[in-house]
């Protein structure tokens, strides 16, 4: 961290141009993910790749349209996640993996960077779109985190769409569980990737939001809960620092507190930069940090947190959007299904690490 602080101080003095003014910054920005893992090019046929890229593009475009039309970051995040929850290619909603007992247990969380309001659910089995229930907990619940039957009761009271648990059944996921049991494999050996889905966004008002949805890990037992529904681990949003959605080996992301840790460090870096600026100038209304260098610093901070996850033995990745509209990716796996777009015309989806 000391090295990062030195870099911040250096940026204040060596910047070649001031940080972009508010009316020059990207008007809106969004990033999505559909899971990270050890997928390989050899196992990815052109047809399968095209299918994944198509749904990623569909989710990205839907979220981007909300923002381009002047909608909120919260609505953009929800819209993008709904498309991925409804697609069985991802381990969320329709494509959720099986528990050891052959059930589908779903988790989701969402957070609004404007006021730090948040909602989360875990272990639900009949909620068609868990991200909608998480948001309903945020807006209408007297709590932040609901689980199991209690969350299902709340969903019915709030008119959230429910389905028969058979809706979530898919043959590919069932085969993964059977293979895991027969060959005594770990969830990582069976799944090859973490199919958790998520989205982060900055809207035209400068507000940030983040959301994450998952079916957990194949063969999970004893009511296991990963990072996706845990505010601060798999999801976090704060207008003062960033919005984060994570995907990976949840136990490690929980231990590091990945989402909150990234936001906390970015906020601390901004505070340090402002303090350095105050000490160096009598015009404390602008921080002379080049926009590109600022994005590079934010990437380094994000990468540093993910490096800590790797040091503990954890795999996965994150998507991040900053108040300046920088959309960042960081992952320590061979690939991560991902995409990003902004009002400056950026629009891209990718899968493998070298893309």
């Amino acid at each position: 961290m000391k090295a990062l602080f030195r870099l911040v101080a250096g940026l204040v003095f060596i910047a070649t141009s001031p940080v972009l003014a508010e009316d020059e910054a990207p008007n809106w920005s969004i990033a999505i993910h559909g899971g990270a893992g050890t997928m390989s090019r050899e196992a990815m046929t052109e047809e399968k790749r095209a299918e994944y890229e198509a749904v990623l593009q569909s989710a990205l475009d839907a979220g981007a349209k909300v923002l381009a039309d002047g909608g909120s970051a919260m609505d953009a995040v929800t819209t993008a996640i709904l498309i991925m929850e409804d697609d069985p290619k991802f381990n969320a909603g329709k494509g959720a993996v099986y528990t050891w007992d052959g059930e589908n247990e779903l988790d989701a969380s969402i957070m609004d960077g404007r006021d730090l309001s948040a909602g989360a659910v875990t272990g639900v089995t009949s909620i068609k779109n868990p991200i909608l229930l998480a948001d309903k907990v945020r807006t209408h619940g007297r709590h932040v985190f609901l689980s199991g039957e209690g969350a299902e009761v709340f969903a019915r009271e709030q008119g959230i769409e429910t389905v028969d648990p058979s809706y979530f059944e898919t043959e590919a996921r069932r085969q993964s569980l059977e293979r895991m049991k027969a060959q005594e494999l770990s969830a990582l050996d069976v799944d090859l990737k973490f199919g958790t889905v998520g989205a982060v966004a900055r809207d035209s008002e400068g507000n940030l939001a983040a959301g994450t949805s998952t079916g957990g890990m194949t063969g999970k037992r004893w009511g296991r809960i990963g990072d996706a529904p845990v505010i601060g681990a798999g999801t976090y949003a704060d207008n003062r620092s960033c919005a984060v959605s994570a995907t990976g080996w949840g136990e490690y992301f929980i231990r590091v507190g990945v989402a909150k840790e990234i936001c906390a460090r970015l906020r601390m870096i901004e505070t340090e930069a402002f303090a350095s600026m105050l000490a160096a100038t009598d015009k404390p209304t602008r921080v002379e940090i080049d926009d590109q260098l600022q994005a590079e610093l934010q990437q380094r901070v994000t990468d540093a947190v993910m490096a800590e996850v790797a040091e503990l033995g954890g795999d996965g990745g994150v998507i991040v959007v900053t108040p300046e509209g920088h959309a960042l990716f960081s992952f320590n796996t061979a690939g991560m299904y991902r995409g990003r777009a902004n009002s400056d015309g950026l629009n891209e989806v990718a899968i493998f690490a070298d893309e």
Side-chain angles (χ1 to χ4, degrees):
M1 284 300 290
K2 290 182 179 179
L4 288 174
F5 285 145
R6 287 195 295 270
L7 176 59
V8 170
L11 288 174
V12 173
F13 297 113
I14 69 172
T16 57
S17 62
V19 66
L20 294 176
E22 184 63 28
D23 59 355
E24 297 173 325
N27 192 35
W28 54 261
S29 183
I30 185 171
I32 66 171
H33 73 74
T38 57
M39 70 278 288
S40 68
R41 292 182 183 276
E42 292 73 19
M44 178 72 72
T45 65
E46 287 301 317
E47 180 180 13
K48 182 182 294 185
R49 181 187 179 109
E51 291 175 352
Y52 273 104
E53 289 178 341
V55 68
L56 286 171
Q57 192 67 66
S58 178
L60 182 65
D61 289 346
K65 185 179 187 306
V66 170
L67 297 171
D69 290 344
S72 71
M74 289 293 294
D75 286 344
V77 162
T78 302
T79 297
I81 290 176
L82 283 173
I83 290 176
M84 293 185 283
E85 281 186 337
D86 288 343
D87 194 298
K89 296 181 189 62
F90 302 104
N91 175 20
K94 175 62 176 175
V97 299
Y98 285 87
T99 68
W100 185 263
D101 296 324
E103 299 177 344
N104 307 104
E105 294 181 352
L106 314 175
D107 307 329
S109 61
I110 195 167
M111 189 165 184
D112 190 335
R114 291 175 295 186
D115 56 6
L116 304 187
S117 60
V121 295
T122 186
V124 296
T125 60
S126 68
I127 308 303
K128 182 176 184 291
N129 294 109
I131 195 66
L132 294 181
L133 177 55
D135 194 45
K136 188 66 73 172
V137 172
R138 180 186 71 85
T139 59
H140 288 75
R142 57 181 72 174
H143 308 297
V144 170
F145 201 171
L146 302 182
S147 66
E149 179 58 28
E152 304 265 358
V153 170
F154 178 77
R156 291 192 291 271
E157 292 177 350
Q158 296 298 320
I160 295 294
E161 183 178 3
T162 60
V163 293
D164 187 90
S166 62
Y167 166 81
F168 303 105
E169 296 177 359
T170 57
E171 185 58 29
R173 299 300 192 190
R174 185 178 297 281
Q175 289 178 5
S176 293
L177 177 63
E178 292 174 352
R179 190 166 66 254
M180 177 185 187
K181 290 183 174 182
Q183 301 177 28
E184 297 183 355
L185 301 173
S186 72
L188 302 184
D189 295 324
V190 170
D191 292 336
L192 299 181
K193 70 179 182 68
F194 305 96
T196 296
V197 306
V200 293
R202 176 198 189 272
D203 61 32
S204 58
E205 299 296 323
N207 295 313
L208 307 181
T212 313
S213 181
T214 189
M217 300 184 79
T218 297
K220 62 183 180 181
R221 306 177 75 176
W222 310 297
R224 179 262 187 190
I225 300 171
D227 66 301
V230 179
I231 300 300
T235 302
Y236 203 78
D238 184 340
N239 279 6
R240 298 169 295 181
S241 54
C242 67
V244 181
S245 174
T247 173
W249 198 337
E251 281 70 13
Y252 294 94
F253 281 70
I254 291 172
R255 289 162 62 185
V256 176
V258 167
K260 180 64 164 65
E261 182 71 8
I262 291 172
C263 287
R265 292 191 192 185
L266 288 180
R267 186 180 176 196
M268 183 162 43
I269 291 296
E270 293 293 333
T271 301
E272 182 74 8
F274 187 66
S276 297
M277 181 272 294
L278 286 176
T281 180
D282 58 356
K283 298 178 180 180
T285 58
R286 298 184 76 173
V287 181
E288 300 292 319
I289 301 178
D290 179 81
D291 188 63
Q292 181 177 353
L293 293 178
Q294 185 179 44
E296 292 175 359
L297 174 61
Q298 292 166 340
Q299 184 70 61
R300 287 185 60 178
V301 170
T302 302
D303 290 343
V305 175
M306 284 305 301
E308 293 185 10
V309 174
E311 288 172 3
L312 291 176
D315 296 328
V318 295
I319 54 174
V320 179
V321 164
T322 71
E324 300 77 24
H326 301 142
L328 311 175
F329 304 124
S330 183
F331 52 99
N332 58 18
T333 55
M336 180 168 75
Y337 295 97
R338 62 197 187 276
R340 57 186 170 185
N342 65 27
S343 52
D344 285 344
L346 173 68
N347 189 299
E348 62 183 20
V349 296
I351 297 176
F352 298 101
D354 58 358
E355 298 176 331

